[in-house]
Amino acid sequence: MAEILEKVIDEEKQGTAYAPFSNDTNQYEKKFYIESYGCAMNFSDSEIVASILHEEGFGATRNMEDANLILINTCSIRDKAEQTVRNRLHIFRKMKKSKPGMLIGVLGCMAERLKAKFLEEEKLVDMVIGPDAYRSLPSLISEAESGQKSVNVLLSREETYADIAPVRLDSNGVSAFVSIMRGCNNMCTFCVVPFTRGRERSRDAASIINECKELVANGYKEITLLGQNVDSYHFTPEHAQDQTNSVTFAHLLERVALISPQLRVRFSTSHPKDITDDVLYTMAKYHNICKCIHLPVQSGNTRVLQMMNRTYTREWYLSKVKRIREIMPECDISTDVIIGFCSETEDEHKDTLSLFDECKFALAYMYTYSERPGTLAERRYKDDVPEDVKKRRLEEVIAMYRGHSLTSYQASVGQTFEVLIEATSKRSEAHWSGRNSQNKVVVFPKENYNLQKGDYVSVTITSATSGTLLGEIVSI
Ligand code: SAM
Ligand code: SF4
Ligand code: F3S
């Protein structure tokens, strides 16, 4: 059961593969097809890649049979994520056998982790391109077209793709991701990201604001600011005389919120050691900054947290949760947790359960520990919690979380929320689906109102499941 639940939860977060859609695809002679795996940063990067490829005369296609170039933007966070990519590559390889001119390129974190080894392991891959090397795609494609295998996995200390206007792929025209920083300077011992994404760097604030304004001008209503650790965003403009002109994450958040009261602002991910009162007060000050914080805990036990090098204790984490709830009682908190990290004892696992019980997360992504080659944990510690124990512990955490999540959803019954309409409900043409500020999905009948996606409506909640609120429009 745990495996199934883990899969469901994994897919909710990781997303399944998606193919791009571009309605101007016919104007391009050559076509590319891209699938993305992993975190939102990867999905956002695919939009940068699409922009670079458009400039090179490649249009996007949803149909891989039509493509001259197949790209897969990969994730290395857990072994399972890499297996998914290898399975997809089998399918692409079969296709390439019947279409020899077609090129296959591997992008993203797995490309960075395996580098040229990828070409040895997966013979039919033509290109391997790391997350900081997308500008070199045109030259790598030319090399590959001339029959050479091409690799660029150089990590950069500066690259933020600030000047590249992303081509929105598979967009609903309402919500968009905007990347504000790249890389990560934290060295959580379990994590492959510092090795695949390199050093942390913040993107020029002006270019972020411009991108957000452009989105608003194009009718977008919700922006999620992305970074592995958004609270350490810090940008000093070149002309600034001193650090007093630096832009912190709280400043940036405020500037984005001020673009339009009609724009909702979200962000992810916050590190418990870095989230500041400034950020919390900024969130509280602006109605359009969504009341929802993703605050990964990783473990409820201080010894395990220390081994993970998270640099906070259980008590520190709990005090942050308390602070968030003091400043914004209506704010939902979600988390990530890793179950069965090296040497985790039964009592330490119980600490995770009791932390979950105390925090009552509205949403949690729960994973069993997956040892990643090259990480500090792989070098320092033994992955010694047996798989069946990890799975059983995961089931226990999932069961507790499900109870809290149901309670959190049921507590919304009778309340009225402002909901941003995203789409027609997948289950019924007669219903809209949208989200409230807390990021909970709200489904309600369209009735006879003349509404469309991107509109805000007030909805009173009449019933709830553990993942959806059902309601009725009270005003538009
Ligand atoms: N930067 C964020 C943070 O600091 O929490 C998230 C990073 S990661 C992309 C997303 C989640 O994957 C992590 O929060 C962690 O729970 C999980 N994760 C990372 N490495 C893992 C591993 N080796 N095994 C299992 N889960 C892992
Ligand atoms: Fe990985 Fe830790 Fe950086 Fe998050 S903060 S990306 S978990 S190293
Ligand atoms: Fe995966 Fe890389 Fe994101 S490892 S989770 S795609 S930063």
Side-chain angles (χ1 to χ4, degrees):
M1 170 187 127
E3 211 172 335
I4 298 169
L5 289 178
E6 194 192 17
K7 189 168 183 305
V8 171
I9 288 163
D10 215 3
E11 281 178 359
E12 271 170 17
K13 182 168 194 199
Q14 300 294 315
T16 43
Y18 80 130
F21 175 68
S22 168
N23 51 14
D24 56 2
T25 189
N26 288 333
Q27 79 188 53
Y28 295 97
E29 216 174 284
K30 297 180 280 183
K31 300 208 169 88
F32 75 96
Y33 169 90
I34 189 166
E35 282 185 7
S36 300
Y37 295 86
C39 62
M41 298 288 297
N42 249 16
F43 284 73
S44 169
D45 279 3
S46 290
E47 299 186 333
I48 302 277
V49 167
S51 176
I52 294 169
L53 290 174
H54 270 206
E55 290 291 311
E56 281 302 293
F58 281 90
T61 174
R62 280 175 186 276
N63 187 355
M64 63 171 129
E65 275 95 18
D66 289 347
N68 311 85
L69 171 63
I70 290 191
L71 296 172
I72 181 159
N73 199 352
T74 60
C75 174
S76 285
I77 202 81
R78 284 168 288 277
D79 184 56
K80 210 170 90 187
E82 292 202 351
Q83 287 314 326
T84 309
V85 168
R86 290 191 194 277
N87 293 342
R88 288 305 287 162
L89 281 171
H90 280 300
I91 292 167
F92 299 157
R93 271 203 310 257
K94 270 197 202 134
M95 189 171 296
K96 188 173 162 85
K97 282 191 180 142
S98 60
K99 219 179 154 192
M102 190 185 84
L103 298 178
I104 301 177
V106 179
L107 315 175
C109 291
M110 206 173 158
E112 192 62 51
R113 192 178 83 71
L114 290 166
K115 304 186 168 55
K117 245 171 77 188
F118 224 124
L119 298 174
E120 290 157 32
E121 288 178 18
E122 305 280 346
K123 296 265 181 277
L124 291 181
V125 166
D126 303 286
M127 297 179 288
V128 177
I129 308 142
D132 286 347
Y134 298 143
R135 284 181 204 269
S136 66
L137 258 165
S139 60
L140 296 176
I141 293 171
S142 303
E143 271 177 38
E145 279 171 344
S146 70
Q148 300 168 55
K149 300 274 179 190
S150 54
V151 182
N152 186 349
V153 287
L154 282 177
L155 286 173
S156 157
R157 278 176 179 263
E158 285 96 36
E159 183 61 271
T160 58
Y161 301 111
D163 57 318
I164 296 182
V167 168
R168 305 291 162 190
L169 296 171
D170 248 11
S171 164
N172 63 1
V174 177
S175 312
F177 291 134
V178 173
S179 179
I180 63 164
M181 60 207 294
R182 300 180 71 80
C184 183
N185 282 357
N186 295 315
M187 272 287 174
C188 303
T189 55
F190 52 78
C191 187
V192 80
V193 173
F195 304 95
T196 60
R197 294 263 165 181
R199 303 292 292 169
E200 180 186 290
R201 64 224 97 121
S202 294
R203 178 179 164 189
D204 183 329
S207 81
I208 297 171
I209 301 297
N210 285 344
E211 187 177 331
C212 295
K213 283 186 176 162
E214 184 93 16
L215 284 163
V216 171
N218 285 315
Y220 283 82
K221 293 286 178 63
E222 182 180 74
I223 284 172
T224 305
L225 304 174
L226 293 180
Q228 290 299 350
N229 183 8
V230 288
D231 299 287
S232 68
Y233 176 88
H234 194 265
F235 181 76
T236 310
E238 255 173 42
H239 60 267
Q241 301 297 313
D242 56 47
Q243 294 280 316
T244 51
N245 286 321
S246 291
V247 184
T248 64
F249 182 58
H251 299 144
L252 184 73
L253 202 51
E254 177 160 47
R255 284 172 65 179
V256 178
L258 285 169
I259 292 173
S260 161
Q262 284 289 304
L263 176 70
R264 270 189 176 178
V265 190
R266 299 186 186 278
F267 57 88
S268 184
T269 299
S270 296
H271 195 299
K273 80 173 159 60
D274 291 320
I275 190 163
T276 59
D277 274 7
D278 271 359
V279 167
L280 301 182
Y281 284 122
T282 307
M283 287 179 76
K285 185 170 165 194
Y286 293 96
H287 166 77
N288 61 336
I289 303 181
C290 290
K291 302 300 177 276
C292 167
I293 298 180
H294 189 59
L295 198 68
V297 64
Q298 314 300 5
S299 168
N301 175 270
T302 297
R303 187 191 74 90
V304 176
L305 286 169
Q306 271 164 359
M307 282 180 70
M308 289 175 162
N309 195 28
R310 288 292 286 182
T311 71
Y312 53 84
T313 59
R314 173 191 172 93
E315 289 69 32
W316 171 277
Y317 185 88
L318 289 173
S319 69
K320 284 287 166 190
V321 168
K322 192 164 163 249
R323 192 81 186 123
I324 294 167
R325 290 187 169 147
E326 267 164 19
I327 297 174
M328 290 172 290
E330 76 280 32
C331 187
D332 268 7
I333 302 174
S334 59
T335 203
D336 292 346
V337 68
I338 298 178
I339 313 290
F341 186 63
C342 312
S343 80
E344 181 192 72
T345 66
E346 214 49 46
D347 279 349
E348 289 166 343
H349 162 61
K350 286 195 179 118
D351 283 344
T352 296
L353 285 170
S354 72
L355 182 131
F356 264 61
D357 205 22
E358 223 172 309
C359 295
K360 307 216 172 356
F361 298 110
L363 183 66
Y365 299 103
M366 297 157 280
Y367 310 103
T368 51
Y369 173 57
S370 166
E371 185 176 80
R372 308 310 296 130
T375 54
L376 295 176
E378 189 241 7
R379 285 183 263 155
R380 283 184 196 161
Y381 311 128
K382 218 167 147 216
D383 177 15
D384 55 0
V385 177
E387 282 309 307
D388 57 332
V389 175
K390 285 182 188 172
K391 288 203 169 120
R392 193 252 307 146
R393 290 182 187 171
L394 176 67
E395 274 175 39
E396 289 172 9
V397 179
I398 288 173
M400 176 163 284
Y401 155 69
R402 291 255 147 131
H404 296 150
S405 165
L406 184 61
T407 312
S408 162
Y409 275 75
Q410 283 174 341
S412 304
V413 175
Q415 294 188 48
T416 300
F417 295 105
E418 182 181 68
V419 176
L420 174 62
I421 300 178
E422 289 174 11
T424 292
S425 159
K426 282 190 190 130
R427 299 223 175 127
S428 151
E429 276 292 315
H431 287 72
W432 286 118
S433 169
R435 278 166 208 270
N436 66 5
S437 173
Q438 287 76 7
N439 213 21
K440 288 187 165 103
V441 172
V442 184
V443 173
F444 52 95
K446 291 182 176 175
E447 300 179 44
N448 290 326
Y449 295 104
N450 187 19
L451 292 166
Q452 52 187 350
K453 63 180 185 169
D455 286 342
Y456 288 101
V457 270
S458 283
V459 177
T460 297
I461 306 307
T462 49
S463 63
T465 67
S466 63
T468 312
L469 300 176
L470 303 169
E472 280 164 13
I473 297 175
V474 283
S475 63
I476 58 173

